Amino acid sequence: MPRISESQIQAQYDFMSRVREINSHRGRLAAYIKTFGCQQNEADSEELAGMLTLMGYDIENDAENADIILINTCAVREHAESKAMSIAGRFKLLKAKKPDMIIGVCGCMVTQEGVSANLKEKYPYVDILFGTSELWRMPEILYTRLSTGKRVFEPGKGRYSDIAEGLPSVRSDRYRAYISVMYGCDNFCTYCVVPHVRGRERSREREAVLADVRKAVSEGAREITLLGQNVNSYGHGLYEDYDFADLLRDVCAADGDFTVRFMTSHPKDMTDRLISVMAAEPKVSKALHLPLQSGSDRVLRAMNRVYKRDDYLALVSRIRAAMPDIALTTDIIVGFPGETEEDFLDTVDIVKRVKYDNIYSFIYSPRRGTPAADMEQLPYEIKVDRYQRLIAVQSEMELAFNRGLEGSTIEVLVEGRSKTDTDKLTGRTERGKLVHFSGPDCLIGQRIGVRITHAETFALYGELLDTSLNGSAL
Ligand code: 5AD
Ligand code: SF4
């Protein structure tokens, strides 16, 4: 698998020193990164933060006073794109007050055809732009901007097969680490822009992944999430007889007190070996995100998902036979071109049968350059109506499930103070449910037992067990 050479990466470290030098007379400098989209983008932003930190910028949560702002965009749905553009418009006003400010746009959106040219022409205050394949060259791009004063636009040169190792990274969450195991996607689901903007599937070498896991754990991570657009095809084209199940087993073998999750899994590639490793390894969270997209065979075919509804249901049965308590979550698209009421009801039927812990449902959004964008579209009102009906079905089931937890004691990884009520701590259960409860700061980062006193659809409320305060977590 082509890897960007060490000397090319070293050259970027040299650019980082040069930017630091240019900035050395400017006093304290701050950077603000706004990230849209999935965890892969979050992980990319952590690398951007790592590089900016080495260039002398403090990463802050405040755009107003930033010296550089990077907008890491998503292209999966139109909504994310329009939000990114409206935010760019807001930053224009900030730059008017602070002309030295650098504004950069990167991520999946800028890699699409025509977007870079449009931004160059219509957004004169955007100083730098780089596509996902150019992210590792950010130091060089920023250096060129600072040293020449010219705008630098590098949407991508089709280097999608290359992997950049050895970039610095600053994690945004102390207890959770997102570690990429593979990039890109070869599935070409007909609605999806990802294969077009993130390129072909390629896997990181296992040693690189394992080194990242050990480092994250030694820095205090308690939960590792292995990331990839399609983790189940990890290793294709790289190893003959080493796949994602092997990698997961090796990750679990690392020393330390941590749990492991992974996403995203394509149902067509979920092997029985992977299910056995999940079931056998105590470190693997018994939680799985398994995108269904649609419960109708007709729609699944039009989406190019390759499996049928019965295959999906049989897979769920095999998974539950191996792990009876597993928490399942899924992605569903409603309003795909040609979806009939009957097709939609097939989706609702699967949702009722599987009883997911959570579903992420999306209204189909046509994406330029994908086959489904050229199919005949459904009226918006129909899409919204189905979306609302699906959410209502799921919410009712979730509330009933959560109510069933009242009175029980659940293990929670404490994340920090609740954003909405700082008197409370907030954390998540292994199943991914949010729990709010009162307690001291010293519990942050720990796994403790919480007795659930009250349940709502999206959150649980509870109280600490006395034993948690004595340090004897569940
Ligand atoms: N419209 C709506 N949802 C989409 N997704 C991907 N492409 C589209 C689209 N064009 C959803 C899928 C995928 C999730 C990350 O986003 O459900 O699993
Ligand atoms: Fe998109 Fe399908 Fe690849 Fe997921 S598997 S990234 S939905 S093309």
Side-chain angles (χ1 to χ4, degrees), residues 38 74-78 189-194 229 263-264 289-294 303 305 330-334 336 360-368 370 372-373 383:
C38 65
C74 167
V76 163
R77 285 172 291 277
E78 192 184 343
C189 300
T190 55
Y191 50 80
C192 187
V193 80
V194 167
Q229 230 53 251
M263 67 188 307
T264 294
H289 187 63
L290 196 62
L292 168 68
Q293 311 301 2
S294 168
M303 288 176 163
R305 288 294 287 180
T330 199
D331 288 344
I332 290 175
I333 297 178
V334 292
F336 185 80
Y360 299 88
S361 39
F362 308 104
I363 292 178
Y364 170 70
S365 166
R367 305 284 62 210
R368 279 182 299 273
T370 61
K383 297 203 245 185

Side-chain angles (χ1 to χ4, degrees), residues 60-101:
E60 296 200 348
N61 238 341
D62 164 27
E64 299 253 336
N65 296 310
D67 298 281
I68 178 166
I69 293 180
L70 294 181
I71 310 170
N72 192 0
T73 62
C74 167
V76 163
R77 285 172 291 277
E78 192 184 343
H79 183 61
E81 283 198 356
S82 38
K83 260 174 54 193
M85 292 329 293
S86 77
I87 269 211
R90 198 151 59 74
F91 294 155
K92 173 185 175 185
L93 304 175
L94 295 182
K95 185 161 171 158
K97 285 194 250 163
K98 196 170 174 179
D100 276 351
M101 177 187 271

